[in-house]
Amino acid sequence: MIIRGDYIAQHPLRCILNPAQEGDMLQSYVNMYEQSGWMPEYPKVFGDRPGMFGFYSSVMFLDAYRKGVRNFDTKKALEGMLKNAEQATMLASTNGPKGALEDFYYEKGYYPALNIGEAENDAVAKAKRGARSAVAVTIAASYNDWAVSELGKELGNNAVHLKFAPRASNYKKLWSNDKMLFMPKNDKGEWVPIDPKSTERTYNNQSYYNENNAYTYKFGVTHDIEGLIELMGGKDKFEAELDQLFREGRVAVVPPSTPSFRI
């Protein structure tokens, strides 16, 4: 029942190969929400582990519903998704209620990043030691909010659909035309001038991305491919950028004590 990455492949495939089992699993998520008060994000046999950021369970519920999986409480699932989307922290490796960073996201449309070398000043992040992963969280939240909006529409809840639909485009707020990448912004709306090829270890422990760098997150907008193509200047430019990603690989600039690598 681990969501981390499984929402991309395992859960969608199970919807096709064994829809009844997938529905049972999703109903167990609903049960966990009813019992714990939160929709789980990284569930284990002992409960929800604080390991994910955002709330990707929304993507799983939407995908299953659209593939015809209906043997779970859809209305209660949307209720839990809404609670996570409006009241839960999106910090990596952290569970529980939202804080000032989420309020900033709701108002400004992006997750604020720390400046290079700036000490963490958010109370929730300091207490939970959850990395901000500001760009990663913004892109994830855009995707997750899109899923909430779309499931609301599927279930005839127009108010939810209209409220969350605009948030699906929040990823665009971190697009840098200069760098042609998604880059971090601080709480003043200023770009944080990081090296986009650097791993999170170069800076303050996943402050900006999460387990990847700017070049892999460049193609992380999976819910709005047309919008991403437009940001990059059209299909020809998009294809060229994608070719370059696979041609070059991810070049990691890491501390001298750690060997560099390519994938």
Side-chain angles (χ1 to χ4, degrees):
M1 284 181 59
I2 300 174
I3 294 180
R4 192 183 188 91
D6 292 354
Y7 73 92
I8 298 172
Q10 187 178 118
H11 283 276
L13 181 61
R14 191 183 295 110
C15 287
I16 299 170
L17 300 181
N18 197 338
Q21 184 185 60
E22 180 65 16
D24 286 344
M25 292 183 71
L26 294 180
Q27 182 58 44
S28 73
Y29 280 55
V30 173
N31 293 343
M32 291 178 73
Y33 159 64
E34 292 181 306
Q35 294 165 10
S36 72
W38 299 105
M39 187 64 73
E41 291 304 321
Y42 197 179
K44 299 283 191 177
V45 293
F46 52 79
D48 195 22
R49 175 184 175 225
M52 280 297 292
F53 58 89
F55 45 102
Y56 284 108
S57 51
S58 60
V59 177
M60 292 164 43
F61 282 116
L62 173 65
D63 181 66
Y65 188 87
R66 285 184 166 171
K67 284 187 170 78
V69 178
R70 306 291 167 85
N71 58 318
F72 65 95
D73 189 335
T74 55
K75 291 185 178 180
K76 186 63 69 172
L78 181 62
E79 177 187 306
M81 288 163 55
L82 281 171
K83 183 174 181 182
N84 279 35
E86 297 176 327
Q87 300 180 42
T89 180
M90 292 187 285
L91 281 171
S93 302
T94 307
N95 287 347
K98 69 179 178 66
L101 296 176
E102 284 73 37
D103 289 336
F104 186 97
Y105 171 79
Y106 302 150
E107 180 181 354
K108 302 292 186 180
Y110 70 93
Y111 219 63
L114 295 170
N115 293 308
I116 297 173
E118 182 181 1
E120 181 57 70
N121 53 27
D122 178 75
V124 177
K126 287 177 70 175
K128 299 291 186 179
R129 287 187 281 181
R132 286 200 184 191
S133 303
V135 179
V137 169
T138 299
I139 294 174
S142 300
Y143 187 18
N144 302 158
D145 284 333
W146 169 83
V148 173
S149 172
E150 291 296 301
L151 186 59
K153 181 171 65 175
E154 292 282 356
L155 298 180
N157 193 325
N158 199 47
V160 169
H161 171 59
L162 293 178
K163 178 177 180 178
F164 283 86
R167 297 187 187 181
S169 297
N170 278 344
Y171 70 91
K172 296 180 181 180
K173 296 181 185 298
L174 294 185
W175 179 256
S176 167
N177 285 320
D178 179 48
K179 298 289 187 180
M180 291 292 288
L181 294 165
F182 294 107
M183 296 289 287
K185 281 182 180 178
N186 62 24
D187 58 5
K188 297 180 176 61
E190 303 164 336
W191 296 111
V192 179
I194 66 167
D195 178 356
K197 287 186 178 179
S198 295
T199 65
E200 56 271 6
R201 286 174 289 178
T202 308
Y203 300 105
N204 187 21
N205 186 29
Q206 302 189 109
S207 289
Y208 309 115
Y209 305 96
N210 194 288
E211 299 181 349
N212 278 297
N213 65 9
Y215 285 87
T216 42
Y217 270 99
K218 183 173 187 172
F219 296 92
V221 181
T222 53
H223 66 288
D224 187 16
I225 302 300
E226 292 299 323
L228 184 61
I229 290 172
E230 184 179 354
L231 284 180
M232 291 192 198
K235 290 185 178 181
D236 290 343
K237 181 64 174 175
F238 180 86
E239 289 178 6
E241 293 291 333
L242 189 59
D243 286 344
Q244 182 60 24
L245 176 72
F246 285 102
R247 184 181 301 116
E248 182 178 359
R250 186 180 84 170
V251 180
V253 181
V254 296
S257 60
T258 308
S260 61
F261 62 94
R262 289 174 182 265
I263 60 172

